[in-house]
Amino acid sequence: MTETRTPPYGITVLGATGSIGVSTLDVLSRHPDRYQVVALTANTDVEGLYQQCLTHHPAYAVMTDPDAAQHLHERLRASHPDIRILSGVTGLETVAALPQVDYVMAAIVGSAGLLPTLAAARAGKRVMLANKEALVMAGQIFMDEIRRNNAELLPVDSEHNAIFQSMPANFAANPGWAMDEAGVRRILLTASGGPFRTLPLSNLHEVTPDQACAHPNWVMGRKISVDSATMMNKGLEVIEACWLFNATPDRIQVVLHPQSVVHSMVEYNDGSILAQLGSPDMRTPIAYALAWPQRIESGVAPLSLFDVGRLDFERPDMARFPCLRLAYEAMQAGGTAPAILNAANEIAVAAFLNGTLKFTAIPAVIEATLARVAAHAATSLEIILADDALARESARGHIMDATQGRGAAVARGLS
Ligand code: NAD
Ligand code: MG
């Protein structure tokens, strides 16, 4: 596909109003001759998408929520009648597959990103993948669609982008790639440990959503921020790495690295370890995914190693971070177990963010859901989505049981 593409490259940004979406538009605006924004999407943030339409003049704007789409249409009608407004999941799938689109930034949060990201893969686009949940839920199906349709898959998650950069040069072009043949012994996946890495364990049960979202090094959306605090984010990233790099979970070692300067590493069988370093700013992996195999200016200030001074590495504490253990176990179990894990996590995190669930109950909800919902072979999207739905129902039920004593209003907030 790449040979036939010439600048300006047409871009769809799925999840344009989010943290990754905004960083992507920042990088794109530094290269107006190289990239052209074709479509922007958001869920309900009419004002955010309206402002982005004024700045970036896309041909299409999609709001998943139909009422929000109607509001956006009314606001843009007079000044920008040429911008086509679409809605719903079909709107997202349409703009992921438009013929004038070369690259799709997949930056919707959570399972909602799966279908539009798959649509981009099926249309043979360059998929710049931030939405790790798509791979966690449907890794085999997604990777098969990428290969079958000659699409390109560029990881945007900073760790996976770092691993991609540290892999042998021919890795990306080799669909039958095997770690052993390339001399790769292990992947060293770094993790900051989030805001509660050193908090006394006895204080963990009383942490608030705002404390959990105050990440020491990265500014991110609220869901991934909570995932970073529980280290479920790292668990999802282990699963993501297994699919991206054709690895088994035992070949992926999580390494705590509180400075978030080394973004991950690849260990080779001759004893070499290759790493990618940089400031904790998502514009670097975004620029890399956009320009690969070239490099472009990202707006990120050069990293001063003298200011960083030292780099620390620690073993993760599985007792403090049970979500990490649960993610390893789900990947080892295989089939739809990772989709069940992901669904239960989404429900538990939403309940924590709305004040219904304690932080320390998040892993308990996930573990109970994994015990209650049987996993199946993940041979079709229907099977995966059915187990995803069952897991959500089961997780809600578990939270309801656990919070019954706290009144009916709490329970209503979960439905
Ligand atoms: P965010 O919450 O800031 O933004 C999410 C975007 O998705 C918004 O544009 C929102 O409108 C859209 N969205 C939300 N629900 C939707 C739905 N149901 N249907 C359609 N669109 C919907 O999230 P973020 O931090 O930008 O993260 C986006 C994705 O990137 C996540 O999968 C996350 O794990 C991944 N990621 C983020 C970072 C980061 O630094 N923020 C780093 C690595 C990976
Ligand atoms: Mg990451």
Side-chain angles (χ1 to χ4, degrees):
M1 290 297 296
T2 20
E3 311 79 75
T4 59
R5 291 176 177 146
T6 50
Y9 302 108
I11 314 262
T12 283
V13 184
L14 300 170
T17 54
S19 166
I20 295 286
V22 168
S23 294
T24 303
L25 289 170
D26 180 277
V27 177
L28 293 176
S29 65
R30 293 165 194 276
H31 304 279
D33 298 336
R34 192 179 166 107
Y35 303 107
Q36 187 173 5
V37 176
V38 176
L40 298 175
T41 87
N43 192 24
T44 53
D45 181 3
V46 176
E47 180 58 27
L49 199 58
Y50 171 72
Q51 293 298 339
Q52 291 184 338
C53 285
L54 298 190
T55 309
H56 299 281
H57 307 286
Y60 291 79
V62 185
M63 303 243 38
T64 319
D65 180 70
D67 292 339
Q70 185 56 33
H71 288 142
L72 184 69
H73 175 68
E74 281 155 21
R75 292 203 62 183
L76 284 169
R77 193 165 38 194
S79 60
H80 291 77
D82 50 323
I83 299 182
R84 290 194 57 188
I85 316 284
L86 306 179
S87 71
V89 176
T90 50
L92 298 173
E93 290 174 326
T94 301
V95 297
L98 290 167
Q100 67 270 44
V101 167
D102 300 297
Y103 300 170
V104 175
M105 169 56 77
I108 289 174
V109 61
S111 57
L114 174 61
L115 295 178
T117 308
L118 263 178
R122 287 188 179 127
K125 308 300 185 193
R126 172 178 294 194
V127 182
M128 301 183 287
L129 188 71
N131 175 245
K132 63 195 81 183
E133 294 91 342
L135 267 185
V136 170
M137 292 176 73
Q140 188 66 60
I141 289 173
F142 186 77
M143 295 306 286
D144 287 349
E145 292 290 5
I146 291 280
R147 288 186 197 113
R148 186 176 309 135
N149 297 291
N150 204 17
E152 291 174 329
L153 182 54
L154 273 293
V156 170
D157 212 345
S158 57
E159 297 78 1
H160 305 75
N161 192 272
I163 295 162
F164 187 96
Q165 294 195 43
S166 306
M167 282 291 182
N170 64 356
F171 152 73
N174 183 356
W177 194 85
M179 277 174 69
D180 283 335
E181 281 167 34
V184 173
R185 190 186 286 152
R186 284 192 307 170
I187 289 171
L188 304 175
L189 187 69
T190 53
S192 70
F196 306 138
R197 183 176 57 89
T198 55
L199 191 77
L201 276 181
S202 55
N203 294 2
L204 263 187
H205 72 283
E206 60 196 19
V207 301
T208 65
D210 283 345
Q211 287 171 322
C213 290
H215 196 279
N217 305 335
W218 297 93
V219 181
M220 308 180 286
R222 284 173 80 76
K223 191 263 178 181
I224 184 177
S225 295
V226 176
D227 286 349
S228 297
T230 61
M231 281 194 78
M232 179 54 92
N233 183 51
K234 210 49 53 182
L236 299 179
E237 289 184 359
V238 168
I239 299 172
E240 184 184 11
C242 287
W243 290 113
L244 283 172
F245 305 111
N246 202 17
T248 46
D250 56 303
R251 304 282 285 266
I252 300 176
Q253 173 68 55
V254 172
V255 179
L256 281 192
H257 167 49
Q259 290 91 354
S260 298
V261 165
V262 176
H263 295 306
S264 279
M265 299 168 264
V266 175
E267 181 184 305
Y268 289 83
N269 59 10
D270 62 2
S272 301
I273 294 179
L274 300 193
Q276 185 259 354
L277 283 70
S279 298
D281 187 321
M282 290 306 293
R283 289 176 300 174
T284 295
I286 290 167
Y288 183 86
L290 279 167
W292 179 84
Q294 295 170 324
R295 301 260 180 185
I296 54 169
E297 176 62 48
S298 66
V300 176
L303 175 72
S304 164
L305 288 174
F306 301 118
D307 289 346
V308 172
R310 56 181 279 179
L311 300 172
D312 295 306
F313 302 99
E314 298 164 13
R315 239 175 238 290
D317 174 353
M318 292 293 196
R320 179 180 289 270
F321 299 113
C323 284
L324 187 56
R325 170 181 58 81
L326 291 171
Y328 266 103
E329 287 171 3
M331 188 61 194
Q332 245 127 18
T336 57
I340 293 167
L341 169 100
N342 177 65
N345 181 56
E346 286 189 19
I347 295 298
V349 170
F352 169 66
L353 282 172
N354 75 20
T356 316
L357 197 68
K358 290 222 175 265
F359 182 78
T360 40
I362 295 174
V365 169
I366 299 165
E367 188 148 28
T369 306
L370 280 163
R372 283 183 195 178
V373 180
H376 298 94
T379 47
S380 75
L381 215 47
E382 290 69 29
I383 292 174
I384 293 168
L385 294 176
D387 281 358
D388 171 281
L390 281 176
R392 281 167 204 274
E393 198 183 304
S394 173
R396 282 195 193 98
H398 185 81
I399 294 171
M400 209 99 87
D401 293 346
T403 56
Q404 239 164 15
R406 292 162 64 189
V410 167
R412 269 202 305 278
L414 296 170
S415 58

